[in-house]
Amino acid sequence: LVSGGEDRSVRVWDLNTLAMLASLEQAHLSGIFRVRQLDSGDSFITASRDRTMKVWLSSTWQARRTLAPPHYDGVSDVAVAGKKGCFFSASRDRSIRRWDCKTLESDLQLAHAQGDWLTALALSVSEEVLFSGGKDSIIKVWDGDLHCKDMLQGHRGPISDLLTIDNHLFSASHDRTVRVWKIDHFDT
C-alpha cells in the first residue's frame, strides 16, 4: 500500500504486517492529494497541491519523473485508464488533462471543464467514459477526447469523491449525501 499526506511524504506499507517499508520525506513541495497505481505495479503517480504530479518507480521508490507542463493550481485527482494506455488529471485550476502512460506526455487539455475547482475523477469499467466532479456540485460525463456528454445534477454541495462499481457511479458530497447513478447507458 502506498499513501501520501499533507506532510508531503509518501509512505509504503506491508499489508501483511502493517509495517512501514519506506518513507519518502518531502516527496512534493506541498500536501499530496492522491496516489494511484500507474501500470502493472511497476510505478505509481502522486498528485499534489504544489501543482505537480510525480511518477515513482516501485522497485526503487525513487521519482522517475515530474510531469510537465504542470497544472496552474493543485492537482486534485488522477484516474488511470490502463487498458487505454492513458490517465487523466484534474486540478483546482478547473482543467482536465489527458496523459499518455508510456511517454508521460500530456496530449490533451480542457480548460474550464467545471464551473469551479475539480475535486474528483472516476472512469467507467470500460474506460470509455470519464466522470468529473467539482466544487460546483455538478458531475460531468466525458468521452475519452473530453467532449461533455451529459451533466448529473442533484447534490447541493461540492463533490468530494467519485467511484464506479460495475454500472453504477457513487458520488459523495459535502451536502452529507452519497448518490448512486446508473451509468451503463453512457458506455454505448
Side-chain angles (χ1 to χ4, degrees), residues 62-110:
Q62 297 295 312
R64 175 179 163 201
R65 185 164 165 194
T66 300
L67 301 187
H71 282 280
Y72 297 105
D73 203 339
V75 183
S76 52
D77 205 353
V78 176
V80 179
K83 294 180 273 188
K84 297 282 185 190
C86 68
F87 60 96
F88 298 89
S89 60
S91 172
R92 290 177 168 184
D93 67 10
R94 302 180 354 187
S95 73
I96 299 174
R97 284 184 180 265
R98 183 178 66 194
W99 302 81
D100 183 277
C101 283
K102 288 192 180 5
T103 66
L104 300 177
E105 298 290 330
S106 176
D107 64 351
L108 182 62
Q109 178 182 7
L110 177 64

Side-chain angles (χ1 to χ4, degrees), residues 3 37 61 78 98 118 153 164:
S3 65
Q37 182 176 320
W61 308 118
V78 176
R98 183 178 66 194
L118 277 131
Q153 297 179 335
T164 55

